[in-house]
PDB file of all heavy atoms in Angstrom:
ATOM      1  N   LEU A 137      86.443 122.919  78.166  1.00  0.00           N
ATOM      2  CA  LEU A 137      87.858 123.232  78.018  1.00  0.00           C
ATOM      3  C   LEU A 137      88.326 124.127  79.154  1.00  0.00           C
ATOM      4  O   LEU A 137      87.610 125.043  79.567  1.00  0.00           O
ATOM      5  CB  LEU A 137      88.116 123.916  76.666  1.00  0.00           C
ATOM      6  CG  LEU A 137      87.905 123.040  75.431  1.00  0.00           C
ATOM      7  CD1 LEU A 137      88.177 123.841  74.169  1.00  0.00           C
ATOM      8  CD2 LEU A 137      88.821 121.820  75.476  1.00  0.00           C
ATOM      9  N   PRO A 138      89.526 123.869  79.675  1.00  0.00           N
ATOM     10  CA  PRO A 138      90.036 124.644  80.819  1.00  0.00           C
ATOM     11  C   PRO A 138      90.474 126.050  80.421  1.00  0.00           C
ATOM     12  O   PRO A 138      91.651 126.354  80.384  1.00  0.00           O
ATOM     13  CB  PRO A 138      91.224 123.788  81.293  1.00  0.00           C
ATOM     14  CG  PRO A 138      91.690 123.091  80.064  1.00  0.00           C
ATOM     15  CD  PRO A 138      90.448 122.815  79.261  1.00  0.00           C
ATOM     16  N   MET A 139      89.480 126.885  80.119  1.00  0.00           N
ATOM     17  CA  MET A 139      89.782 128.262  79.732  1.00  0.00           C
ATOM     18  C   MET A 139      89.068 129.207  80.700  1.00  0.00           C
ATOM     19  O   MET A 139      87.851 129.379  80.635  1.00  0.00           O
ATOM     20  CB  MET A 139      89.313 128.544  78.295  1.00  0.00           C
ATOM     21  CG  MET A 139      90.007 127.687  77.247  1.00  0.00           C
ATOM     22  SD  MET A 139      89.488 128.080  75.569  1.00  0.00           S
ATOM     23  CE  MET A 139      87.746 127.731  75.632  1.00  0.00           C
ATOM     24  N   GLY A 140      89.794 129.758  81.614  1.00  0.00           N
ATOM     25  CA  GLY A 140      89.194 130.700  82.552  1.00  0.00           C
ATOM     26  C   GLY A 140      88.594 130.010  83.756  1.00  0.00           C
ATOM     27  O   GLY A 140      88.511 128.790  83.849  1.00  0.00           O
ATOM     28  N   GLU A 141      88.142 130.809  84.711  1.00  0.00           N
ATOM     29  CA  GLU A 141      87.622 130.283  85.963  1.00  0.00           C
ATOM     30  C   GLU A 141      86.312 129.530  85.785  1.00  0.00           C
ATOM     31  O   GLU A 141      86.006 128.612  86.523  1.00  0.00           O
ATOM     32  CB  GLU A 141      87.424 131.429  86.962  1.00  0.00           C
ATOM     33  CG  GLU A 141      88.723 132.129  87.353  1.00  0.00           C
ATOM     34  CD  GLU A 141      88.472 133.266  88.328  1.00  0.00           C
ATOM     35  OE1 GLU A 141      87.299 133.456  88.692  1.00  0.00           O
ATOM     36  OE2 GLU A 141      89.441 133.943  88.721  1.00  0.00           O
ATOM     37  N   ALA A 142      85.525 129.938  84.799  1.00  0.00           N
ATOM     38  CA  ALA A 142      84.198 129.325  84.625  1.00  0.00           C
ATOM     39  C   ALA A 142      84.294 127.843  84.280  1.00  0.00           C
ATOM     40  O   ALA A 142      83.401 127.066  84.544  1.00  0.00           O
ATOM     41  CB  ALA A 142      83.420 130.059  83.534  1.00  0.00           C
ATOM     42  N   ALA A 143      85.423 127.434  83.676  1.00  0.00           N
ATOM     43  CA  ALA A 143      85.556 126.047  83.254  1.00  0.00           C
ATOM     44  C   ALA A 143      85.924 125.122  84.403  1.00  0.00           C
ATOM     45  O   ALA A 143      85.956 123.915  84.244  1.00  0.00           O
ATOM     46  CB  ALA A 143      86.613 125.944  82.152  1.00  0.00           C
ATOM     47  N   GLY A 144      86.213 125.689  85.578  1.00  0.00           N
ATOM     48  CA  GLY A 144      86.552 124.856  86.715  1.00  0.00           C
ATOM     49  C   GLY A 144      88.010 124.433  86.675  1.00  0.00           C
ATOM     50  O   GLY A 144      88.866 125.123  86.141  1.00  0.00           O
ATOM     51  N   THR A 145      88.290 123.274  87.218  1.00  0.00           N
ATOM     52  CA  THR A 145      89.673 122.810  87.353  1.00  0.00           C
ATOM     53  C   THR A 145      89.916 121.514  86.602  1.00  0.00           C
ATOM     54  O   THR A 145      90.666 120.650  87.066  1.00  0.00           O
ATOM     55  CB  THR A 145      90.013 122.625  88.838  1.00  0.00           C
ATOM     56  OG1 THR A 145      89.083 121.686  89.409  1.00  0.00           O
ATOM     57  CG2 THR A 145      89.943 123.933  89.596  1.00  0.00           C
ATOM     58  N   LEU A 146      89.299 121.337  85.470  1.00  0.00           N
ATOM     59  CA  LEU A 146      89.489 120.110  84.699  1.00  0.00           C
ATOM     60  C   LEU A 146      90.920 120.015  84.185  1.00  0.00           C
ATOM     61  O   LEU A 146      91.490 120.996  83.707  1.00  0.00           O
ATOM     62  CB  LEU A 146      88.507 120.063  83.529  1.00  0.00           C
ATOM     63  CG  LEU A 146      87.051 119.749  83.859  1.00  0.00           C
ATOM     64  CD1 LEU A 146      86.242 119.657  82.577  1.00  0.00           C
ATOM     65  CD2 LEU A 146      86.929 118.448  84.632  1.00  0.00           C
ATOM     66  N   ASP A 147      91.481 118.816  84.283  1.00  0.00           N
ATOM     67  CA  ASP A 147      92.845 118.567  83.837  1.00  0.00           C
ATOM     68  C   ASP A 147      92.882 118.461  82.313  1.00  0.00           C
ATOM     69  O   ASP A 147      92.203 117.614  81.730  1.00  0.00           O
ATOM     70  CB  ASP A 147      93.338 117.267  84.467  1.00  0.00           C
ATOM     71  CG  ASP A 147      94.676 116.830  83.923  1.00  0.00           C
ATOM     72  OD1 ASP A 147      95.509 117.711  83.648  1.00  0.00           O
ATOM     73  OD2 ASP A 147      94.885 115.610  83.774  1.00  0.00           O
ATOM     74  N   PRO A 148      93.681 119.286  81.621  1.00  0.00           N
ATOM     75  CA  PRO A 148      93.737 119.232  80.153  1.00  0.00           C
ATOM     76  C   PRO A 148      94.258 117.895  79.635  1.00  0.00           C
ATOM     77  O   PRO A 148      93.838 117.440  78.565  1.00  0.00           O
ATOM     78  CB  PRO A 148      94.683 120.383  79.785  1.00  0.00           C
ATOM     79  CG  PRO A 148      95.428 120.709  81.024  1.00  0.00           C
ATOM     80  CD  PRO A 148      94.512 120.381  82.154  1.00  0.00           C
ATOM     81  N   VAL A 149      95.157 117.254  80.389  1.00  0.00           N
ATOM     82  CA  VAL A 149      95.655 115.935  79.973  1.00  0.00           C
ATOM     83  C   VAL A 149      94.522 114.907  80.035  1.00  0.00           C
ATOM     84  O   VAL A 149      94.356 114.080  79.129  1.00  0.00           O
ATOM     85  CB  VAL A 149      96.839 115.491  80.859  1.00  0.00           C
ATOM     86  CG1 VAL A 149      97.265 114.067  80.494  1.00  0.00           C
ATOM     87  CG2 VAL A 149      98.009 116.459  80.706  1.00  0.00           C
ATOM     88  N   GLY A 150      93.712 114.970  81.094  1.00  0.00           N
ATOM     89  CA  GLY A 150      92.570 114.063  81.212  1.00  0.00           C
ATOM     90  C   GLY A 150      91.566 114.274  80.092  1.00  0.00           C
ATOM     91  O   GLY A 150      91.018 113.313  79.533  1.00  0.00           O
ATOM     92  N   ILE A 151      91.330 115.545  79.746  1.00  0.00           N
ATOM     93  CA  ILE A 151      90.432 115.854  78.628  1.00  0.00           C
ATOM     94  C   ILE A 151      90.999 115.274  77.335  1.00  0.00           C
ATOM     95  O   ILE A 151      90.271 114.719  76.507  1.00  0.00           O
ATOM     96  CB  ILE A 151      90.226 117.375  78.504  1.00  0.00           C
ATOM     97  CG1 ILE A 151      89.459 117.907  79.714  1.00  0.00           C
ATOM     98  CG2 ILE A 151      89.477 117.711  77.211  1.00  0.00           C
ATOM     99  CD1 ILE A 151      89.304 119.418  79.709  1.00  0.00           C
ATOM    100  N   GLY A 152      92.321 115.390  77.175  1.00  0.00           N
ATOM    101  CA  GLY A 152      92.960 114.843  75.985  1.00  0.00           C
ATOM    102  C   GLY A 152      92.782 113.342  75.873  1.00  0.00           C
ATOM    103  O   GLY A 152      92.507 112.810  74.787  1.00  0.00           O
ATOM    104  N   TYR A 153      92.922 112.646  77.003  1.00  0.00           N
ATOM    105  CA  TYR A 153      92.698 111.198  76.994  1.00  0.00           C
ATOM    106  C   TYR A 153      91.254 110.866  76.627  1.00  0.00           C
ATOM    107  O   TYR A 153      90.995 109.914  75.872  1.00  0.00           O
ATOM    108  CB  TYR A 153      93.031 110.603  78.368  1.00  0.00           C
ATOM    109  CG  TYR A 153      94.492 110.291  78.582  1.00  0.00           C
ATOM    110  CD1 TYR A 153      95.209 110.853  79.643  1.00  0.00           C
ATOM    111  CD2 TYR A 153      95.157 109.405  77.743  1.00  0.00           C
ATOM    112  CE1 TYR A 153      96.552 110.557  79.847  1.00  0.00           C
ATOM    113  CE2 TYR A 153      96.504 109.099  77.943  1.00  0.00           C
ATOM    114  CZ  TYR A 153      97.189 109.680  78.996  1.00  0.00           C
ATOM    115  OH  TYR A 153      98.512 109.375  79.190  1.00  0.00           O
ATOM    116  N   ALA A 154      90.300 111.628  77.153  1.00  0.00           N
ATOM    117  CA  ALA A 154      88.892 111.378  76.844  1.00  0.00           C
ATOM    118  C   ALA A 154      88.600 111.615  75.365  1.00  0.00           C
ATOM    119  O   ALA A 154      87.852 110.859  74.732  1.00  0.00           O
ATOM    120  CB  ALA A 154      87.996 112.257  77.715  1.00  0.00           C
ATOM    121  N   LEU A 155      89.185 112.679  74.800  1.00  0.00           N
ATOM    122  CA  LEU A 155      89.017 112.946  73.368  1.00  0.00           C
ATOM    123  C   LEU A 155      89.655 111.832  72.536  1.00  0.00           C
ATOM    124  O   LEU A 155      89.082 111.403  71.514  1.00  0.00           O
ATOM    125  CB  LEU A 155      89.641 114.292  73.003  1.00  0.00           C
ATOM    126  CG  LEU A 155      88.863 115.542  73.441  1.00  0.00           C
ATOM    127  CD1 LEU A 155      89.706 116.792  73.215  1.00  0.00           C
ATOM    128  CD2 LEU A 155      87.542 115.652  72.681  1.00  0.00           C
ATOM    129  N   ALA A 156      90.829 111.366  72.969  1.00  0.00           N
ATOM    130  CA  ALA A 156      91.480 110.267  72.267  1.00  0.00           C
ATOM    131  C   ALA A 156      90.628 108.998  72.346  1.00  0.00           C
ATOM    132  O   ALA A 156      90.553 108.229  71.377  1.00  0.00           O
ATOM    133  CB  ALA A 156      92.868 110.014  72.852  1.00  0.00           C
ATOM    134  N   ALA A 157      89.969 108.792  73.498  1.00  0.00           N
ATOM    135  CA  ALA A 157      89.066 107.648  73.626  1.00  0.00           C
ATOM    136  C   ALA A 157      87.893 107.789  72.651  1.00  0.00           C
ATOM    137  O   ALA A 157      87.401 106.795  72.107  1.00  0.00           O
ATOM    138  CB  ALA A 157      88.544 107.544  75.060  1.00  0.00           C
ATOM    139  N   GLY A 158      87.448 109.032  72.437  1.00  0.00           N
ATOM    140  CA  GLY A 158      86.393 109.270  71.448  1.00  0.00           C
ATOM    141  C   GLY A 158      86.837 108.886  70.052  1.00  0.00           C
ATOM    142  O   GLY A 158      86.069 108.307  69.270  1.00  0.00           O
ATOM    143  N   VAL A 159      88.090 109.195  69.709  1.00  0.00           N
ATOM    144  CA  VAL A 159      88.640 108.783  68.409  1.00  0.00           C
ATOM    145  C   VAL A 159      88.673 107.256  68.328  1.00  0.00           C
ATOM    146  O   VAL A 159      88.319 106.664  67.300  1.00  0.00           O
ATOM    147  CB  VAL A 159      90.057 109.366  68.203  1.00  0.00           C
ATOM    148  CG1 VAL A 159      90.684 108.816  66.924  1.00  0.00           C
ATOM    149  CG2 VAL A 159      90.014 110.888  68.159  1.00  0.00           C
ATOM    150  N   GLY A 160      89.087 106.633  69.443  1.00  0.00           N
ATOM    151  CA  GLY A 160      89.102 105.175  69.483  1.00  0.00           C
ATOM    152  C   GLY A 160      87.714 104.584  69.303  1.00  0.00           C
ATOM    153  O   GLY A 160      87.540 103.577  68.608  1.00  0.00           O
ATOM    154  N   TRP A 161      86.700 105.225  69.905  1.00  0.00           N
ATOM    155  CA  TRP A 161      85.318 104.763  69.759  1.00  0.00           C
ATOM    156  C   TRP A 161      84.866 104.877  68.310  1.00  0.00           C
ATOM    157  O   TRP A 161      84.196 103.985  67.773  1.00  0.00           O
ATOM    158  CB  TRP A 161      84.411 105.580  70.684  1.00  0.00           C
ATOM    159  CG  TRP A 161      83.008 105.068  70.834  1.00  0.00           C
ATOM    160  CD1 TRP A 161      82.425 104.044  70.150  1.00  0.00           C
ATOM    161  CD2 TRP A 161      82.010 105.579  71.718  1.00  0.00           C
ATOM    162  NE1 TRP A 161      81.117 103.882  70.555  1.00  0.00           N
ATOM    163  CE2 TRP A 161      80.841 104.811  71.505  1.00  0.00           C
ATOM    164  CE3 TRP A 161      81.989 106.606  72.655  1.00  0.00           C
ATOM    165  CZ2 TRP A 161      79.669 105.054  72.209  1.00  0.00           C
ATOM    166  CZ3 TRP A 161      80.812 106.834  73.346  1.00  0.00           C
ATOM    167  CH2 TRP A 161      79.668 106.072  73.130  1.00  0.00           C
ATOM    168  N   ALA A 162      85.262 105.971  67.647  1.00  0.00           N
ATOM    169  CA  ALA A 162      84.917 106.144  66.231  1.00  0.00           C
ATOM    170  C   ALA A 162      85.543 105.032  65.390  1.00  0.00           C
ATOM    171  O   ALA A 162      84.882 104.447  64.518  1.00  0.00           O
ATOM    172  CB  ALA A 162      85.391 107.516  65.752  1.00  0.00           C
ATOM    173  N   LEU A 163      86.812 104.717  65.650  1.00  0.00           N
ATOM    174  CA  LEU A 163      87.483 103.635  64.917  1.00  0.00           C
ATOM    175  C   LEU A 163      86.845 102.286  65.245  1.00  0.00           C
ATOM    176  O   LEU A 163      86.722 101.419  64.373  1.00  0.00           O
ATOM    177  CB  LEU A 163      88.966 103.612  65.268  1.00  0.00           C
ATOM    178  CG  LEU A 163      89.783 104.816  64.783  1.00  0.00           C
ATOM    179  CD1 LEU A 163      91.208 104.737  65.315  1.00  0.00           C
ATOM    180  CD2 LEU A 163      89.773 104.903  63.263  1.00  0.00           C
ATOM    181  N   TYR A 164      86.435 102.128  66.495  1.00  0.00           N
ATOM    182  CA  TYR A 164      85.752 100.906  66.928  1.00  0.00           C
ATOM    183  C   TYR A 164      84.479 100.688  66.107  1.00  0.00           C
ATOM    184  O   TYR A 164      84.178  99.566  65.685  1.00  0.00           O
ATOM    185  CB  TYR A 164      85.439 101.028  68.419  1.00  0.00           C
ATOM    186  CG  TYR A 164      84.380 100.097  68.969  1.00  0.00           C
ATOM    187  CD1 TYR A 164      84.698  98.810  69.378  1.00  0.00           C
ATOM    188  CD2 TYR A 164      83.053 100.519  69.104  1.00  0.00           C
ATOM    189  CE1 TYR A 164      83.727  97.964  69.900  1.00  0.00           C
ATOM    190  CE2 TYR A 164      82.089  99.688  69.632  1.00  0.00           C
ATOM    191  CZ  TYR A 164      82.429  98.409  70.021  1.00  0.00           C
ATOM    192  OH  TYR A 164      81.471  97.581  70.538  1.00  0.00           O
ATOM    193  N   ILE A 165      83.741 101.759  65.852  1.00  0.00           N
ATOM    194  CA  ILE A 165      82.518 101.656  65.059  1.00  0.00           C
ATOM    195  C   ILE A 165      82.844 101.285  63.618  1.00  0.00           C
ATOM    196  O   ILE A 165      82.237 100.390  63.025  1.00  0.00           O
ATOM    197  CB  ILE A 165      81.725 102.975  65.109  1.00  0.00           C
ATOM    198  CG1 ILE A 165      81.194 103.215  66.526  1.00  0.00           C
ATOM    199  CG2 ILE A 165      80.576 102.949  64.105  1.00  0.00           C
ATOM    200  CD1 ILE A 165      80.563 104.575  66.707  1.00  0.00           C
TER     201      ILE A 165
END
Side-chain angles (χ1 to χ4, degrees):
L137 293 179
M139 298 182 299
E141 296 179 1
T145 58
L146 285 184
D147 172 36
V149 175
I151 293 176
Y153 276 123
L155 286 171
V159 174
W161 190 353
L163 293 174
Y164 162 85
I165 293 172

